[in-house]
Amino acid sequence: MPRTKGAATRVRALAGGGVPALLWRTVLVAALVCGIGLLPWLSRTDPALTVLRARSADRDPDPETLRAIRDDLGLDDGPSALLGRWLGGLLHGDGGTSWVSGSQVLPGVVQALGASLLLMAGALVVAAGVVAAVCARTLRLGARGRLGARRPGGSATAVLAALPEFLVAAVLASVIGVQLGWLPALGWYGPQWMVLPSLALGLPAGAVLGRMLDDLLPGAFGEPWAMAAAARGVPSRCVARQAVRRCVPGLLPNLALFVVGLTGGSVAVEQIFDIPGLGRLTLHAALAQDLPVLQTGTLALVLLAATAGLLARLAARLLIGPALRDGALQSLHRPRPPAPRTLPLLYGGLLAAVIGFGLPREPLALDTLDRLRAPSLEHPFGTDALGRDVLARISHGALTTLGTALAVSAAALAAGLLLGLLPRVSGPLVDTLSAVPPVLAGLLVTGVLGSGTWTPAFAVAVVAWSPLAAHTSSLLRQERATTHLTATRALGAGRWYLLRHELLPAVAPPVARHALLRLPGIALSLAALGFLGLGAQPPSPDWGLLLAENQPYAERAPWAVLFPAAVLALLGALAVTAAGGVRLPRRRTRPAGPAGPPADRVVPAPLRRPDHPDALLTPVSASQTEER
C-alpha cells in the first residue's frame, strides 16, 4: 500500500500537480478547441462560402448552392451543436467527416501525424549532430580543465540559427534536388525523401539547442565533482559525458517544445517538399475552415505536447531527481568574466551601415527595364522582379521588422519570466500553446482581429513566451535545490529575499540570453507568416515578404534572396554575440540588516591551482562558506 501511494505521488508530481492542474489543463484544451470551432463566426465569414471555394473555386456561389451546403453540414444549428456532435463522435473514435473532401477525418489525421513524426525524428537526428558540433570545443577544453583559454565564438552558429527554414528548404530542393539530382526534392515515398526536409528543419533547431547547452557547460565543468574527477585522473571522455548529463535537465522542457514545433510548425517546409504532414493538413483546413479536420489535428498536437512534456519531466526526474529532493545541487550560473565586445560592435556596425546606406533610396520605385539586375554601383544589392532596389527595400523593411521583433522579444521575455515563476499555472499553459504553430495562431488572430500591421506580431507573441517560461521554470526548480540557497534559507532569509537576491539574479541572465537567441527566430516567425501570405502585404518591404516575393527567382537572380537572408543571418550573429554579455551582476558588500541575512561578499576572480595551472578553482559565495 505505501509503495502504491508513493507511485501515485510521483505520477501527480510528473503531471504537474494533482487534480487542480488536471482541471486547468482540461479547461485550456477545451478553450482552444472551442475557439477553433468558433473561427468562422469570430472571423465574420460565411463558412458555406469558404467551403464552396475550397471544393470548387469555379462554381458560382448562388443562394441555393450555399443553402444546400448549410443544410448538409448543419451550419444553421450553430457552433455549439457542431462542437457537441464532433465531441460525441470523438468519444466513439470518430473524428467526423471533412467538410471539403467528404472523407473520414481521423484516418487522415493519423496518417499525417505519422509523416510529421517521422520528419521530426529525422530533424532531431540532424539537430543532435549540430549540437555535438557546436559543443565539441567546450567539451574538449572543459574536460581537460582549460576553459579559461576558450574564446567565445558562435558566429557560425548564429548564422545557421538565423537562416529561415523555408529558405534553407528552397535552396536544398533547388540545388541538391533539382540541379545536382542527388536526392529527391518532392514527395514522401521513402527514407531518401526525408533527408532534405530533415536538414532544413534540423540545422536551425540544432544551432539554437547547441547554443543553450554551450551556455550551461562551463558552469557544470566548474562544479567540485568535475575538478575532483580531473584531479583523480578520470578520463576526459567520462567527465564530458557527465557534464552533458548535468546540463541536459535544464534543456529538456525546451527540447519537448522543439519536438512539438517540428511536428506541427513545419508548414513551410512541408509546403516546399510536398510532404503530407500534420502542419500542412491543419493549414489547409484552417484556410478552408474545415472545422472537423482543424479541430482533430489541433487536438492531436495538444496530446503530443502533453506527452512530450510528461516525458521531459520524467527524464529530468530520472537524471537529477535525488539531488532535487535532497537540495544537493550546485548552481550552474556563476559569475563570468565580461565578454569581449568586438564582435557585437562589428556586427552591429555592419547592420547599421547596411540600413543607413539604403535609407536614402526609394523602396517602391518601379523600373521594369531593370528587372532582376545583378549587383552594381547603381544597385549594390541588385533589383527584384519589378525592378525595385533590393538594398532600399531591406533598409526600409528593417525599421518594421527589427522594431516588431524587438518589441515581441521584450514582451515574451517579461511574460516568460513572470509566468515561469508560477510553474503550476504556466506549465499546462505552455503545453497547450506549444501545440499551436505560429501559422495557426496567425490564422486565429487574423480571423478574430482582422488583418493589420500588428496582427502578425500579436500572433507570434501569443506563443513566443512559452519557451522562455519553460526555461525559467526548469532553471528555477534546480536553483531552489542548490546548497547555497539551503544555507541562506537556514540563516533566516524569507521568500521575497530569496527571490530578489538569489533566484532572480541566477535565473534571469540565462533566460535573457535565451531571449536574445530567440530574437532571430521571432523575426523568422514573422517572415514565415509573410512567406505564407499571413503577414505584411505588398508593397511593404518587410523582410519576410521580400523572401517570399523573390524566392521563385532564386535560380535566376539569387542575390534577391541571398542579401535579405544575409541580413537576417547578420542579425542572428549580433544577437548571439551580444547574448554573451548578459551575466550575473556583482553585488556590493553591505552589513547585515534585520530584513534578511548578510549579503554575499563580492565574488573574487577565479584562481588557478598551482599543481594544475590549467584548472580553475570555482569561487564560493558567503552562503556556501557558512554551510561548510
Side-chain angles (χ1 to χ4, degrees):
M1 184 70 177
R3 183 177 299 178
T4 305
K5 185 176 181 181
T9 303
R10 288 193 295 269
V11 171
R12 285 196 300 269
L14 290 174
V19 176
L22 181 60
L23 292 177
W24 177 226
R25 291 177 185 273
T26 305
V27 169
L28 291 174
V29 173
L32 178 60
V33 174
C34 291
I36 293 174
L38 293 172
L39 180 59
W41 289 268
L42 292 175
S43 59
R44 297 171 294 277
T45 59
D46 187 359
L49 179 59
T50 307
V51 171
L52 176 63
R53 290 175 177 173
R55 290 179 177 178
S56 177
D58 298 332
R59 192 171 179 181
D60 186 20
D62 56 87
E64 295 182 359
T65 303
L66 296 178
R67 189 180 305 109
I69 293 177
R70 291 193 188 95
D71 294 339
D72 181 43
L73 302 179
L75 295 176
D76 293 334
D77 297 337
S80 58
L82 293 174
L83 183 62
R85 287 198 294 267
W86 176 76
L87 290 174
L90 199 63
L91 294 177
H92 297 87
D94 182 14
T97 305
S98 172
W99 288 0
V100 176
S101 64
S103 60
Q104 291 294 317
V105 170
L106 198 57
V109 170
V110 171
Q111 184 177 2
L113 178 62
S116 293
L117 289 177
L118 187 60
L119 177 60
M120 177 267 296
L124 287 181
V125 171
V126 176
V130 175
V131 170
V134 170
C135 301
R137 185 168 178 266
T138 302
L139 288 172
R140 183 177 66 255
L141 295 177
R144 298 175 181 176
R146 298 178 179 177
L147 272 181
R150 187 187 71 152
R151 294 181 180 179
S155 299
T157 308
V159 171
L160 191 60
L163 290 177
E165 294 175 353
F166 55 85
L167 179 60
V168 176
V171 171
L172 291 176
S174 60
V175 176
I176 298 180
V178 177
Q179 295 182 2
L180 300 178
W182 291 348
L183 290 169
L186 295 176
W188 189 254
Y189 306 105
Q192 293 181 343
W193 278 263
M194 65 179 294
V195 175
L196 294 182
S198 298
L199 288 173
L201 290 173
L203 291 176
V208 175
L209 288 174
R211 288 298 305 176
M212 294 175 63
L213 179 59
D214 195 65
D215 185 54
L216 293 176
L217 283 174
F221 283 120
E223 290 184 340
W225 68 265
M227 293 184 292
R232 292 180 63 88
V234 176
S236 58
R237 181 176 62 256
C238 298
V239 177
R241 184 168 62 249
Q242 293 302 320
V244 172
R245 180 183 178 183
R246 173 68 180 89
C247 298
V248 162
L251 300 179
L252 284 175
N254 275 278
L255 181 60
L257 297 183
F258 269 101
V259 167
V260 182
L262 292 175
T263 304
S266 55
V267 181
V269 175
E270 292 178 355
Q271 286 277 82
I272 291 173
F273 289 101
D274 196 22
I275 299 174
L278 188 59
R280 185 184 179 192
L281 180 68
T282 53
L283 173 64
H284 291 172
L287 293 176
Q289 294 189 356
D290 193 350
L291 295 188
V293 176
L294 183 59
Q295 289 171 328
T296 308
T298 304
L299 185 61
L301 287 175
V302 170
L303 294 177
L304 176 64
T307 304
L310 180 63
L311 292 177
R313 288 189 289 270
L314 176 61
R317 186 170 291 271
L318 291 176
L319 289 173
I320 57 169
L324 286 176
R325 180 195 61 208
D326 300 333
L329 288 177
Q330 296 287 329
S331 178
L332 289 176
H333 309 287
R334 302 165 183 256
R336 57 175 63 190
R341 301 178 181 179
T342 306
L343 287 178
L345 291 177
L346 175 62
Y347 295 138
L350 286 176
L351 186 60
V354 170
I355 295 174
F357 189 63
L359 282 178
R361 298 170 177 266
E362 176 56 48
L364 302 179
L366 301 177
D367 189 354
T368 56
L369 298 179
D370 282 339
R371 296 177 64 251
L372 302 178
R373 292 287 186 181
S376 61
L377 292 178
E378 185 180 0
H379 303 288
F381 286 3
T383 61
D384 62 6
L386 297 178
R388 296 172 296 191
D389 188 84
V390 174
L391 175 59
R393 293 183 63 75
I394 290 176
S395 300
H396 286 266
L399 301 178
T400 56
T401 303
L402 294 182
T404 305
L406 286 172
V408 172
S409 298
L413 176 60
L417 282 173
L418 291 177
L419 292 175
L421 298 177
L422 305 171
R424 293 184 181 273
V425 176
S426 63
L429 192 58
V430 168
D431 291 343
T432 304
L433 287 180
S434 64
V436 183
V439 174
L440 181 57
L443 289 172
L444 293 174
V445 172
T446 303
V448 175
L449 301 180
S451 59
T453 305
W454 289 98
T455 300
F458 185 78
V460 174
V462 167
V463 297
W465 63 269
S466 55
L468 303 178
H471 196 192
T472 301
S473 298
S474 177
L475 296 180
L476 189 67
R477 188 183 305 112
Q478 296 189 48
E479 197 67 26
R480 282 173 173 168
T482 54
T483 54
H484 77 87
L485 194 73
T486 304
T488 307
R489 189 184 295 111
L491 291 174
R495 179 180 301 177
W496 290 108
Y497 181 91
L498 292 175
L499 180 63
R500 291 173 51 197
H501 297 279
E502 298 292 340
L503 294 177
L504 279 180
V507 171
V511 176
R513 291 194 292 269
H514 184 190
L516 282 175
L517 293 177
R518 293 273 178 178
L519 175 62
I522 289 177
L524 294 182
S525 297
L526 296 170
L529 291 177
F531 177 77
L532 295 171
L534 302 176
Q537 301 298 319
S540 171
D542 182 83
W543 288 358
L545 191 59
L546 291 183
L547 291 168
E549 290 176 342
N550 297 323
Q551 192 268 333
Y553 309 98
E555 296 184 12
R556 180 181 173 186
W559 54 84
V561 175
L562 291 180
F563 281 114
V567 176
L568 273 173
L570 189 60
L571 172 63
L574 173 61
V576 169
T577 53
V582 180
R583 61 188 187 276
L584 287 173
R586 294 181 181 272
R587 284 173 283 178
R588 299 177 180 176
T589 305
R590 51 180 186 175
D600 287 351
R601 292 185 291 270
V602 177
V603 180
L607 303 175
R608 294 188 181 275
R609 294 184 295 187
D611 55 336
H612 289 78
D614 291 329
L616 292 178
L617 286 174
T618 305
V620 296
S621 62
S623 59
Q624 290 173 304
T625 306
E626 292 292 336
E627 183 186 15
R628 294 176 182 175

